[in-house]
Amino acid sequence: MYTCGPTVYGFPHLGNMRTYVFEDILKRVLTYNNFKVNHVMNITDVGHLAGDRDMGVDKVEKIAKTTGKTAWEIADFYTLAFKDDLTKLNIIFPDTLCKATDNIKEQIKMIEKLEKKGYTYKISDGIYFDTSKVADYTKLSHQKLEELKEGARVEANVEKKNPTDFALWKFSPKDEKRQMEWPSPWGIGFPGWHIECSAMSVKYLGEQFDIHCGAVDFISLHHTNELAQTETATGKIPWVNYWLHGAFLNMTGGRKMAKSAGDVVTLHTEFINKNINPLVYRFATLNVHYRKPMEWSDDITVSAKNGYENLLNKICNLGQKIGQINKESKAKFLADINDDLNMPKALATVQEVLKSDLSDADKLATILDFDKVLGLNLENAVKNENIKIEIPKNIQALLNERKIARDNKDWKKADALRDQILSLGFEVKDTNKD
Ligand SMILES: [Zn+2]
């Protein structure tokens, strides 16, 4: 499984992180179904230009200039920030997390292959891929070529043969020294944005593999270009058996969340700085199917926080005894998640288990098993004493009875009540105050 990673020039926004949670769920669902997953993700630390279509300045070098840091420092800093977000959202790390700058040789090799086959041409600012030579260039998006061309004309480069052609290798500007640049058979420069994913996926997963993911906006540009150049270079079709794309998290009113518009909400601004558990965001995204757009508002945080805390409380109230996984419930949960990752339905199944007449211990075992997919850290919640627990009425009655016994110095009765409470899954800890 190959998933496109971040361009490391700023903090990832919540929309970016929605995609990574969806991919994590996919990976967990496959693992839960006993598949062995080899997951590769790239880190784009060079070559992603401001215009997406090989025009404008390199995003990482631009931030370096405005902050007085080196491009390498910027890339390292935001790579760490990204990894931190993955950890906070309980996303399982990829088996391989590879940087574009560590794989320049592989990218040059693939461009050479394309050149030998006659799919490339040179213009003043770089080596480009001739998309008109690929018969089914739009097969991933199913868009009409005319529509794609129209979109591409917005950032037209007059020297290109076709508006949809894209850069494989960009030359360093003559009047300015870049921080990240390498020698190549075509001159000093740096790779285009798309070639890194083709070169690294083939390097780490082979010329053909099962799953490739990203956000929906990758379909018509980034993934279309990755697909065209990889299948051309290797000659092996299909390159990828299954493509999965996650829908956007939009700002209120359907506006696209974009760093340039200043509309950026991050895990830090919306959760960590407000002392809200970041897993509340993970929970919020699980309430919307990954192919449905989600709209961002403060209300989402409030309702997700309530929903998540409610779930934790209910689970804490089950006690600490772990029984047997209920087979029927597990079959239902499996049907939900295998129905194109229907997580809203899977969460409803969790609530059904909580309401069922299973024993508390079996409920707990079953839900903790589901959490291998949900990734909501529910096991930790059971152990975490800081969570406010609603004490069930029967336990409270026993506690009251025990207090009376202790006040009367009836230690034998108090100890018996303590054991009875323990057998129900609650432990009494006396403090000096008592
Ligand atoms: Zn990619």
Side-chain angles (χ1 to χ4, degrees):
M1 168 165 140
Y2 186 90
T3 59
C4 292
T7 301
V8 281
Y9 72 109
F11 290 105
H13 60 59
L14 287 178
N16 300 138
M17 296 318 292
R18 183 185 179 200
T19 308
Y20 302 120
V21 173
F22 135 63
E23 292 162 349
D24 183 56
I25 291 290
L26 170 63
K27 180 158 98 179
R28 287 168 181 265
V29 166
L30 291 166
T31 311
Y32 195 77
N33 279 280
N34 298 317
F35 286 99
K36 219 178 140 199
V37 182
N38 181 9
H39 178 200
V40 177
M41 185 194 278
N42 65 304
I43 296 280
T44 301
D45 50 358
V46 69
H48 193 170
L49 304 190
D52 274 357
R53 290 185 190 273
D54 315 312
M55 301 286 278
V57 285
D58 186 307
K59 292 181 176 186
V60 175
E61 297 231 350
K62 185 186 170 192
I63 299 293
K65 255 185 217 158
T66 55
T67 55
K69 303 253 192 272
T70 69
W72 301 95
E73 284 168 340
I74 291 298
D76 280 350
F77 178 83
Y78 287 113
T79 300
L80 274 181
F82 171 67
K83 286 183 182 172
D84 189 45
D85 276 13
L86 291 185
T87 306
K88 291 203 161 78
L89 287 169
N90 204 21
I91 291 171
I92 300 168
F93 269 52
D95 300 279
T96 305
L97 193 61
C98 42
K99 295 196 278 186
T101 52
D102 283 341
N103 292 277
I104 298 296
K105 194 179 74 207
E106 287 77 359
Q107 297 176 69
I108 290 175
K109 253 192 209 158
M110 192 175 257
I111 301 168
E112 283 179 314
K113 268 189 183 177
L114 294 169
E115 188 178 40
K116 262 187 210 136
K117 292 189 176 186
Y119 282 78
T120 66
Y121 62 91
K122 182 180 171 180
I123 57 176
S124 63
D125 73 346
I127 304 294
Y128 280 72
F129 185 92
D130 186 345
T131 53
S132 70
K133 293 203 166 171
V134 182
D136 43 5
Y137 174 67
T138 59
K139 70 176 174 183
L140 189 63
S141 69
H142 304 294
Q143 271 176 294
K144 288 192 185 104
L145 187 59
E146 279 314 309
E147 279 173 34
L148 272 192
K149 280 184 184 169
E150 211 40 62
R153 276 193 192 105
V154 179
E155 294 180 59
N157 175 337
V158 288
E159 288 182 63
K160 286 200 299 192
K161 290 185 183 172
N162 311 285
T164 46
D165 293 352
F166 55 91
L168 296 164
W169 188 262
K170 291 273 286 188
F171 303 132
S172 292
K174 290 188 180 74
D175 51 347
E176 194 189 320
K177 171 121 182 79
R178 275 181 59 93
Q179 296 185 33
M180 289 176 163
E181 59 180 13
W182 296 265
S184 82
W186 314 280
I188 290 181
F190 57 99
W193 172 33
H194 316 294
I195 194 75
E196 67 177 89
C197 289
S198 297
M200 291 194 279
S201 64
V202 166
K203 175 179 174 180
Y204 293 107
L205 295 170
E207 291 183 338
Q208 289 177 298
F209 56 91
D210 283 313
I211 301 171
H212 195 136
C213 302
V216 277
D217 58 334
F218 281 0
I219 298 174
S220 63
L221 179 70
H222 182 54
H223 284 172
T224 286
N225 291 345
E226 282 185 22
L227 180 61
Q229 70 197 358
T230 315
E231 289 189 346
T232 303
T234 66
K236 294 200 175 143
I237 297 172
W239 170 40
V240 170
N241 289 327
Y242 304 97
W243 291 86
L244 282 89
H245 293 98
F248 271 162
L249 173 76
N250 293 313
M251 299 304 288
T252 316
R255 249 176 26 255
K256 189 185 167 187
M257 194 175 287
K259 285 197 181 97
S260 49
D263 272 342
V264 174
V265 286
T266 70
L267 210 54
H268 275 268
T269 63
E270 303 309 302
F271 293 89
I272 297 162
N273 296 352
K274 294 178 182 171
N275 248 331
I276 301 170
N277 186 342
L279 289 179
V280 168
Y281 181 61
R282 184 178 175 103
F283 181 79
T285 68
L286 299 190
N287 279 280
V288 184
H289 191 268
Y290 77 92
R291 284 193 289 110
K292 280 202 181 129
M294 193 175 155
E295 201 163 278
W296 180 251
S297 73
D298 287 343
D299 297 348
I300 289 186
T301 324
V302 175
S303 70
K305 188 171 177 286
N306 286 340
Y308 184 55
E309 284 174 359
N310 199 284
L311 178 63
L312 293 185
N313 277 339
K314 282 183 187 161
I315 286 163
C316 286
N317 286 343
L318 297 175
Q320 303 219 344
K321 237 192 215 166
I322 298 176
Q324 299 291 319
I325 297 169
N326 181 266
K327 280 189 186 146
E328 250 173 62
S329 305
K330 183 171 174 130
K332 179 144 194 316
F333 181 78
L334 199 59
D336 298 337
I337 59 175
N338 287 355
D339 177 15
D340 195 18
L341 315 180
N342 196 334
M343 301 316 290
K345 219 167 153 197
L347 286 178
T349 299
V350 172
Q351 293 298 336
E352 274 171 37
V353 171
L354 284 166
K355 280 184 206 145
S356 70
D357 48 16
L358 294 174
S359 72
D360 283 355
D362 285 0
K363 284 181 188 175
L364 186 59
T366 307
I367 292 172
L368 290 184
D369 178 63
F370 295 173
D371 200 39
K372 289 177 192 161
V373 173
L374 304 172
L376 292 169
N377 230 338
L378 300 179
E379 193 172 9
N380 235 14
V382 176
K383 292 179 195 151
N384 189 347
E385 292 171 14
N386 294 325
I387 290 168
K388 267 187 273 161
I389 302 174
E390 238 177 81
I391 300 173
K393 278 183 189 145
N394 61 328
I395 303 289
Q396 191 57 55
L398 291 170
L399 281 170
N400 295 344
E401 214 181 310
R402 182 168 175 270
K403 186 168 185 311
I404 294 165
R406 278 167 63 88
D407 288 347
N408 295 335
K409 299 200 170 10
D410 186 349
W411 307 120
K412 208 173 156 192
K413 191 174 177 191
D415 285 349
L417 284 163
R418 175 208 290 263
D419 291 345
Q420 197 184 341
I421 293 168
L422 191 63
S423 74
L424 293 167
F426 284 80
E427 195 185 351
V428 186
K429 280 186 183 167
D430 292 315
T431 60
N432 290 338
K433 267 192 200 161
D434 296 333

